[in-house]
Each structure stands twice: as C-alpha cells, then as structure tokens.
Amino acid sequence: MAKENFTKQLAKMTMPHFNDLPNLDLYMDQVIDEVNQYLAPITHTKITKAMINSYVKKGIVDRPVKKRYSRLHLAKILVVSLLKPILSLDTIDQAMKIALKLETPSRAYDQFIDLFNQELTDVDIDNLSAKQYQSMAIRALLYKLVVDDLINNSKKV
C-alpha cells in the first residue's frame, strides 16, 4: 500500500524551474526551508547547513555573497541533493561543469528539471514482480556506472 501511495505522490510532484526559484538572495535558514520543501517529499531526506557548507567547501556550489544565496545557488543545491544518493560529489561536480559549458545556468538547470519532472510522472511500479524489482535495481546500477564512466572520460578530453 505504501509503495502505491508513494508512486502516486511522485507522479503529482514537480521540481521548480529556474524562474520559479526565489529571485531574491536568501540566508542559509531560508535556503534550507526552500530546498527542503521540494527535496524532502521526493528523497525522504532533508538538506542541512552542514551539507550546504560541505558543497561550498568542495567548490561544487559557489560561496554565498555576504552570507546570501542566489537563485543559482539554490539550483545547484537542488541538483546536488537529488543526485547525491546515486553519484559521488566529484561526479556531480564534473557533470555540472560540463552542463554549464554547454548551456547557460538557467537553461542547464531547466533542462535537468524538465527531464526529472517527466520521469516523476512516468514512475509506475504498482504490482511489480520480484523479477521486475531485480531488473530495476540492475538498471539503476548499470546507468550509474555508465554515467560515472561518461563523466570521468569527459575529464580526459
């Protein structure tokens, strides 16, 4: 029952596009509230001040300006937070750098969000057999390995 409810909930959720993010700079507590309203229902985890500080320290997210975070900061924090359960921070960092070489930040983010939102609506796992669960797990592993390889090989080019 919980699985059916969660998949139906996922189909109703959407992540915000770039222009839907606040257009004014926010302090850390406001960033956490803003990000968690989208992140927590999907991932069942919440972003913390320590996580954001870690992303900044590693250079994945730019340092805030006068302790304030912009729309671009929020976009990067959301992307990192969504991908962190499956990809390393180094891989996520490299992937974002590649995306930002190809597109403006708002377009790169919106492209990611469009794909993510489409996948949310396509999730349908009601009444799966054990074989289907196994297949999903195997695909998740293989896609993760392929993404890691693609990102790592793009560094060498």
Side-chain angles (χ1 to χ4, degrees):
M1 187 73 140
K3 290 178 195 123
E4 291 176 351
N5 290 338
F6 182 60
T7 58
K8 286 178 179 25
Q9 288 172 2
L10 282 177
K12 295 175 187 172
M13 294 180 195
T14 57
M15 295 297 292
H17 285 91
F18 195 80
N19 286 333
D20 296 329
L21 296 171
N23 193 23
L24 53 118
D25 295 342
L26 304 176
Y27 289 107
M28 176 71 80
D29 289 343
Q30 295 168 308
V31 169
I32 291 169
D33 290 343
E34 185 70 24
V35 170
N36 282 335
Q37 75 172 319
Y38 297 106
L39 187 65
I42 294 172
T43 64
H44 300 297
T45 60
K46 291 186 175 185
I47 189 108
T48 65
K49 182 178 179 179
M51 292 169 159
I52 295 172
N53 286 335
S54 172
Y55 304 158
V56 170
K57 186 176 180 181
K58 292 178 186 292
I60 300 168
V61 173
D62 299 329
R63 293 199 174 283
V65 178
K66 297 181 182 176
K67 297 185 180 185
R68 291 181 162 233
Y69 294 81
S70 68
R71 188 183 271 178
L72 181 56
H73 287 104
L74 288 172
K76 285 184 174 184
I77 291 167
L78 280 166
V79 170
V80 172
S81 299
L82 288 169
L83 295 176
K84 193 176 79 156
I86 58 163
L87 299 173
S88 71
L89 290 177
D90 288 340
T91 299
I92 296 167
D93 186 37
Q94 287 303 315
M96 288 197 308
K97 286 177 181 171
I98 292 167
L100 293 174
K101 283 182 186 174
L102 301 173
E103 294 287 351
T104 64
S106 62
R107 282 191 180 171
Y109 174 78
D110 281 348
Q111 179 178 316
F112 175 84
I113 291 303
D114 285 341
L115 291 168
F116 192 89
N117 285 341
Q118 182 60 52
E119 291 298 323
L120 281 173
T121 62
D122 291 347
V123 172
D124 182 16
I125 59 169
D126 293 340
N127 304 314
L128 291 181
S129 68
K131 184 176 180 180
Q132 289 169 308
Y133 281 117
Q134 292 166 348
S135 178
M136 288 172 63
I138 291 166
R139 283 186 187 154
L141 169 64
L142 293 175
Y143 287 143
K144 181 226 181 296
L145 295 172
V146 168
V147 168
D148 283 343
D149 185 65
L150 289 170
I151 298 300
N152 288 330
N153 284 330
S154 72
K155 286 192 250 185
K156 299 172 187 171
V157 175

